[in-house]
Amino acid sequence: AYTFQRAEDRAANFGNVLIGRPLHDLSAGLTFKWKALEVEFDGRYTDGQFLDTLNTKRINHRVILDLALGYDLPKNFEARAE
C-alpha cells in the first residue's frame, strides 16, 4: 500500500506541514508457504516528518522490517513467532 499526503497548515502557520504527517508511506509484504511451514516478510517505509508547527524539528525517514514464522500443527492449530 502507498500513501501520498501533503497536509498543510491552513491557520496560524499557513503553508507549513502538519505535525506527524509523512509525505510518503509505503508498505509491502511477501508470504512463502511450503508444506506446514509459513514464512512471512513485511516491510514499511515512512518518510521523515516534522515534530513542531514551525517545521524546525524533524525526524528522519525510517524503515521497519518484520519477519514471522508459522508452522501448522495437528487439529487446526498453528504455532507462530513474530
Side-chain angles (χ1 to χ4, degrees), residues 28-70:
L30 180 66
T31 301
F32 173 75
K33 290 184 178 185
W34 182 69
K35 297 187 180 180
L37 179 67
E38 181 177 306
V39 179
E40 208 172 303
F41 179 76
D42 294 312
R44 181 178 186 139
Y45 169 82
T46 301
D47 206 0
Q49 50 199 288
F50 290 102
L51 298 174
D52 65 337
T53 57
L54 296 176
N55 290 176
T56 59
K57 296 178 185 174
R58 180 179 173 90
I59 58 173
N60 292 330
H61 70 273
R62 62 191 174 275
V63 175
I64 298 172
L65 302 174
D66 293 318
L67 177 68
L69 300 173

Side-chain angles (χ1 to χ4, degrees), residues 2 8 10 15 24 26 29-31 33 43 47-48 66 73-74 82:
Y2 173 73
E8 294 182 356
R10 302 283 182 188
H24 304 282
L26 173 68
L30 180 66
T31 301
K33 290 184 178 185
D47 206 0
D66 293 318
L73 298 171
E82 296 185 19

Side-chain angles (χ1 to χ4, degrees), residues 7-34:
E8 294 182 356
D9 191 340
R10 302 283 182 188
N13 296 298
F14 189 83
N16 282 4
V17 178
L18 293 177
I19 296 171
R21 302 298 201 292
L23 188 62
H24 304 282
D25 192 67
L26 173 68
S27 63
L30 180 66
T31 301
F32 173 75
K33 290 184 178 185
W34 182 69

